Amino acid sequence: MAGTSRTASRTASTWRNWAGNVTARPVREVTPASAEELADAVRAAAADGLKVKPVGTGHSFTAAAVTDGVLIRPDLLTGIRAIDREAGTVTVEAGTPLKRLNVALAREGLSLTNMGDIMEQTVAGATSTGTHGTGRDSAATAAQIRAMELVLADGSLLSCSEKENAEVFAAARVGLGALGVVTAITFAVEPVFLLTAREEPMPFDRVTADFEELYAENEHFEFYWFPHTGNCNTKRNNRSAGPAAPPGRVSAWVEDELLSNGVFQVACSVGRAFPAAVPAIAQVSSRALSARTYTDIPYKVFTSPRRVRFMEMEYAVPREAAVAALREVKALIERSPLRVGFPVEVRTAPADDIALSTASGRDTAYIAVHLYRGTPYQAYFTAVERIMTAHGGRPHWGKVHTRDAEYLAGVYPRFAEFTALRDRLDPERRFANDYLRRVLGE
């Protein structure tokens, strides 16, 4: 077994996720350098009666990647395999960080159509958990997949697309690590383009009253509401003919590093130590960011550094329920003793055709709540979750939630299609863990 000889005997250290709330103590770690080596590792694990889980950069807040068996680290499965300009696709190794992919594509004069605001994740980790940005017409990262390659529980390598193993493709794009270990992904790409970002403070009442209009008029609209205030910060991204006009180096540093990370970190620390100060801090924070407009290539507009560590829960609700659900969250905070120092984020996505995508079969709005790491979050998240589930909400697979298979089967029309495929591809549950047992059932 060439693929495991140098790593199979290595005793694993404790693995922790980015937020520090999840740990894993696997029997061993394997760092395969090819799909073949990864397949060897899966077969070796089966021979030893061990479970297998791949792990990315740990940006999930759930225990989706936890195992007490064999932990697959994709650090050597990185880079672009192929670019097909005629087909408009790029094939990348599963462990490639989105940041490296974005930079490499830009160098080739190409870009993904849409992306989330954090680009530290691996491409497989991001798509497997349904990572998304915001978009009226362009959907989540997984909806931009055109083909995939994965190692199945029996160690075989399977390719899938709309034309090849289509039933696997329909599910594996958001596969939760339950169907196999992803080794490569083919994304749709397009010639690099420019986006003009318009960031602007706006009152809560105006944003919610005009939400449908703001959504319809912009290719990418999102906003943040600051609890304990009536203030929001909005962001509208639209394609531009140019010319490029990136933010100045100093102003970008002030907005993105000093205010959004440095000062915000201090504000969060003070708020955690003195909860009574949170509303006053929120009033100041919500007015700190000024209006600005700039034009740049997509990944420089869509993404931003996130250095303040936090806990997060996010729910996908039908788009028409977004404003009502958000107003309920606002009312909840105002009538409770909760002190929330982190903005509430609202984004959108069009319906897609992926079985367990949070936007599967319906136009969607996302409402995300956060609290600074180390702040007790259970009471806040539990109360918000109650509101979201009343609207038929679907939790983000990589963020804190308490839902189980019984609930999820009721909000995903194609849930049974996914679990039946899992029964066929992984009958012995080689890729199972406690999290998958909860959300998918036995």
Side-chain angles (χ1 to χ4, degrees):
M1 293 190 181
T4 57
S5 58
R6 63 192 170 82
T7 53
S9 61
R10 192 171 99 206
T11 303
S13 55
T14 299
W15 174 87
R16 284 182 175 79
N17 68 338
W18 178 81
N21 67 306
V22 174
T23 58
R25 294 176 180 83
V27 171
R28 63 177 182 250
E29 293 180 3
V30 179
T31 310
S34 66
E36 292 72 27
E37 286 189 9
L38 200 158
D40 285 345
V42 171
R43 284 191 288 268
D48 294 339
L50 297 172
K51 305 291 188 189
V52 177
K53 294 306 293 181
V55 65
T57 54
H59 269 266
S60 286
F61 300 86
T62 62
V66 167
T67 187
D68 58 4
V70 178
L71 192 74
I72 305 286
R73 288 192 177 270
D75 307 25
L76 302 180
L77 291 172
T78 63
I80 292 177
R81 276 193 194 179
I83 294 174
D84 186 334
R85 293 180 186 274
E86 194 174 320
T89 61
V90 59
T91 301
V92 292
E93 302 284 351
T96 308
L98 283 166
K99 186 172 188 175
R100 281 183 57 187
L101 174 61
N102 286 330
V103 171
L105 287 176
R107 201 178 294 132
E108 296 287 342
L110 299 168
S111 177
L112 295 170
T113 298
N114 197 359
M115 61 196 78
D117 68 343
I118 297 173
M119 55 177 180
E120 307 304 322
Q121 311 104 309
T122 62
V123 294
T127 54
S128 294
T129 54
T131 293
H132 60 90
T134 189
R136 181 190 61 204
D137 312 305
S138 53
T141 311
Q144 298 170 68
I145 295 175
R146 295 295 171 263
M148 296 179 72
E149 176 188 274
L150 54 163
V151 171
L152 302 182
D154 62 3
S156 62
L157 199 61
L158 179 130
S159 296
C160 61
S161 66
E162 285 184 346
K163 297 177 181 175
E164 181 183 16
N165 295 307
E167 77 288 357
V168 178
F169 184 69
R173 285 171 287 170
V174 179
L176 314 184
L179 304 178
V181 181
V182 178
T183 53
I185 297 175
T186 299
F187 290 104
V189 291
E190 59 177 302
V192 72
F193 52 95
L194 292 171
L195 284 171
T196 292
R198 181 179 168 196
E199 299 175 5
E200 181 184 10
M202 197 177 287
F204 179 91
D205 290 341
R206 184 185 158 198
V207 177
T208 50
D210 295 347
F211 177 68
E212 279 299 318
E213 190 178 323
L214 289 161
Y215 161 81
E217 289 177 353
N218 296 282
E219 291 173 75
H220 309 274
F221 174 69
E222 64 185 300
F223 70 94
Y224 301 82
W225 165 60
F226 293 81
H228 312 292
T229 80
N231 305 325
C232 295
N233 204 43
T234 64
K235 186 171 182 179
R236 287 169 267 192
N237 298 330
N238 291 286
R239 293 199 183 212
S240 168
R249 188 171 294 180
V250 173
S251 65
W253 179 82
V254 169
E255 293 275 339
D256 299 329
E257 290 294 349
L258 180 64
L259 294 177
S260 297
N261 286 294
V263 174
F264 188 53
Q265 173 89 49
V266 173
C268 287
S269 298
V270 172
R272 184 176 64 187
F274 305 101
V278 167
I281 293 170
Q283 289 290 345
V284 175
S285 298
S286 67
R287 291 185 169 91
L289 297 173
S290 54
R292 63 172 176 165
T293 301
Y294 55 95
T295 301
D296 214 330
I297 60 174
Y299 85 85
K300 294 185 178 181
V301 173
F302 284 131
T303 68
S304 52
R306 289 279 181 269
R307 307 195 205 289
V308 179
R309 303 211 176 198
F310 50 81
M311 293 295 292
E312 180 178 3
M313 181 177 74
E314 180 182 72
Y315 264 80
V317 297
R319 200 186 74 237
E320 60 271 17
V323 171
L326 182 63
R327 284 177 175 152
E328 288 173 49
V329 172
K330 187 171 187 283
L332 160 76
I333 293 171
E334 288 173 349
R335 70 172 182 262
S336 77
L338 293 168
R339 294 292 175 261
V340 180
F342 240 96
V344 176
E345 182 181 27
V346 180
R347 295 177 288 173
T348 68
D352 63 42
D353 64 348
I354 305 168
L356 291 189
S357 164
T358 45
S360 183
R362 72 185 188 194
D363 288 346
T364 293
Y366 295 96
I367 298 177
V369 296
H370 315 67
L371 279 176
Y372 184 48
R373 190 171 71 171
T375 306
Y377 63 86
Q378 285 84 354
Y380 177 39
F381 285 12
T382 298
V384 171
E385 189 171 43
R386 201 170 291 130
I387 292 169
M388 298 303 153
T389 54
H391 290 281
R394 299 166 177 170
H396 188 301
W397 296 108
K399 297 176 185 178
V400 177
H401 69 94
T402 66
R403 299 298 88 192
D404 60 15
E406 182 181 6
Y407 173 86
L408 295 163
V411 294
Y412 281 98
R414 297 171 65 183
F415 189 84
E417 173 189 328
F418 187 97
T419 54
L421 181 66
R422 182 191 187 209
D423 289 342
R424 177 161 71 80
L425 296 182
D426 187 15
E428 295 181 4
R429 299 294 188 260
R430 184 67 47 213
F431 304 122
N433 61 9
D434 288 343
Y435 178 72
L436 291 184
R437 274 187 283 278
R438 172 161 71 87
V439 300
L440 298 178
E442 292 294 343

